[in-house]
Amino acid sequence: MQLLLLGTLALFVGVTVAVPAQEKRVHLKPDLSDHVHDDAHGYQYDHEAFLGKEEAKTFDQLSPEESKERLGKIVDRIDTDKDGFISHAELHHWIKHRQRRYIEENVDKHWKEYDQNKDGKIGWIEYKNTTYGYYMDAEFDDVDDKASYKAMLTRDERRFKSADRDGDGVATREEFTAFLHPEEFDHMRDIVIQETIEDIDKNGDGKIDLREYIGDMFAPENGENEPDWVTTEKKHFSEFRDINKDGFLDASEVSHWILPGEVDHADNEARHLIHETDKDNDDKITKKEILANWNMFVGSQATNYGEDLTKRHDEL
């Protein structure tokens, strides 16, 4: 799933303007990991689900002893009621917290940049001026591709207004989070769908045909053969995406594609980890049970070495 990126700096005629890079469209909510969940070939999915993607990288550099020591301290934090057991609810809450951390860090970064008057809120004018500069009346005449910037401004304003639920023109932290990460909020669904259609719908008819759908993902160069995954995507378009079989994806069908029925990946992962480590089948796990299966929860230099050997064996 791809998220909104903001904040590259550009210079235009001596004026410093914090102009966002071309937005990356929001598609699906991100899964817990970019890796395939296949325990037979390693636990990288579980590591990233349990720790978060960035923290998992840190553990990959540790020795097994250091990794297990840190895991023990994490288990103590997860056990919030201090009964000596990790319940499904506690583990579920922990995984959700780790996965949301990247959103909070992203909001923290931009909050400091945009809350110019330090009043704990971000007004639309603050955001617009900080992002696009103080030359709106000039209709972007100092920008080479002014049509694109005007479109980006219009899109930002529309999204900001949707996130600003009380309509006061000022975003609280929660509203600003909805602006930056609309895929996380139910009331932003229509904006996510609209932006997706606008980005893929090249002929402007308000819907997505097969050519536009594939063209958004793959553009052959110099007689390049069509890869197998493109053939698969074409099949998905006709058999699954295009529900009414009219050859197009309308707003409802785009919604089913990019915002399907809610799947709680954190809940599924919590159940998986408990199932794999709960040896006495009491539906909760102890610190001892977790540490006995430490390599499922966290990585280390040793587990990476083992996974590398497995991959080499597969390649041979």
Side-chain angles (χ1 to χ4, degrees):
M1 168 131 170
Q2 300 181 35
L3 302 176
L4 176 68
L5 297 178
L6 299 170
T8 56
L9 297 178
L11 294 175
F12 296 106
V13 194
V15 180
T16 301
V17 187
V19 179
Q22 184 62 42
E23 293 179 358
K24 288 191 174 181
R25 182 175 60 256
V26 176
H27 268 184
L28 303 171
K29 284 190 177 182
D31 199 351
L32 305 182
S33 170
D34 295 328
H35 295 270
V36 175
H37 196 186
D38 182 1
D39 290 348
H41 290 84
Y43 298 122
Q44 197 61 38
Y45 181 100
D46 299 296
H47 298 167
E48 293 189 355
F50 180 73
L51 295 167
K53 295 179 182 179
E54 292 304 315
E55 190 68 10
K57 294 177 184 177
T58 300
F59 271 76
D60 285 344
Q61 307 307 313
L62 302 177
S63 68
E65 292 73 23
E66 291 174 309
S67 189
K68 284 187 279 189
E69 181 182 357
R70 291 197 188 187
L71 174 59
K73 294 177 180 178
I74 290 174
V75 173
D76 292 338
R77 291 170 59 190
I78 298 174
D79 182 17
T80 54
D81 62 8
K82 306 304 177 186
D83 67 349
F85 297 95
I86 302 300
S87 66
H88 170 266
E90 288 172 327
L91 188 54
H92 181 217
H93 177 77
W94 167 262
I95 294 172
K96 293 276 284 189
H97 164 71
R98 298 307 297 178
Q99 295 300 315
R100 189 172 172 82
R101 183 179 177 183
Y102 86 95
I103 294 177
E104 295 170 351
E105 290 174 348
N106 179 257
V107 173
D108 283 340
K109 173 185 174 183
H110 292 298
W111 189 268
K112 295 172 184 176
E113 180 181 0
Y114 289 112
D115 184 15
Q116 295 290 301
N117 62 7
K118 308 303 178 185
D119 66 348
K121 296 181 180 181
I122 296 174
W124 165 245
I125 300 301
E126 279 181 301
Y127 175 83
K128 181 183 70 172
N129 288 342
T130 303
T131 304
Y132 295 95
Y134 295 85
Y135 57 99
M136 294 300 145
D137 292 338
E139 292 295 316
F140 292 101
D141 286 338
D142 292 333
V143 181
D144 290 337
D145 188 7
K146 64 180 181 180
S148 293
Y149 283 102
K150 289 176 71 173
M152 290 168 67
L153 173 61
T154 299
R155 180 164 165 151
D156 273 352
E157 185 172 15
R158 183 181 64 198
R159 187 190 283 194
F160 193 97
K161 287 180 178 179
S162 293
D164 177 22
R165 301 195 77 175
D166 60 7
D168 64 355
V170 178
T172 62
R173 185 179 178 85
E174 182 76 1
E175 290 170 335
F176 193 62
T177 302
F179 170 70
L180 291 179
H181 298 277
E183 75 284 356
E184 297 290 329
F185 295 82
D186 288 342
H187 69 278
M188 300 293 287
R189 288 178 65 95
D190 289 345
I191 284 292
V192 175
I193 294 165
Q194 185 175 2
E195 290 182 5
T196 301
I197 293 175
E198 287 173 350
D199 287 340
I200 303 178
D201 172 28
K202 299 306 180 185
N203 63 13
D205 64 355
K207 49 192 178 182
I208 300 169
D209 61 31
L210 178 59
R211 178 177 295 183
E212 291 167 334
Y213 176 82
I214 296 299
D216 183 61
M217 298 179 281
F218 175 72
E221 298 180 359
N222 301 324
E224 178 184 1
N225 291 329
E226 184 176 281
D228 291 340
W229 67 264
V230 173
T231 303
T232 300
E233 281 297 336
K234 287 181 176 179
K235 184 177 181 180
H236 285 171
F237 181 94
S238 60
E239 295 186 4
F240 306 112
R241 312 277 190 235
D242 181 16
I243 297 172
N244 63 8
K245 309 305 179 187
D246 67 350
F248 301 93
L249 303 187
D250 58 24
S252 176
E253 290 164 329
V254 170
S255 176
H256 280 92
W257 167 33
I258 65 172
L259 297 169
E262 191 65 30
V263 176
D264 192 337
H265 297 293
D267 178 76
N268 291 340
E269 178 64 10
R271 294 183 188 281
H272 169 69
L273 291 174
I274 290 176
H275 174 76
E276 294 297 324
T277 56
D278 177 25
K279 300 307 179 184
D280 56 6
N281 297 315
D282 61 354
D283 293 326
K284 51 189 177 182
I285 47 181
T286 64
K287 185 175 184 178
K288 182 178 179 180
E289 287 174 322
I290 292 174
L291 292 179
N293 295 275
W294 67 275
N295 60 328
M296 173 173 278
F297 289 83
V298 296
S300 76
Q301 294 170 334
T303 54
N304 281 344
Y305 178 70
E307 289 173 9
D308 287 342
L309 287 180
T310 301
K311 291 175 183 175
R312 291 172 193 161
H313 178 74
D314 289 344
E315 290 169 359
L316 293 174

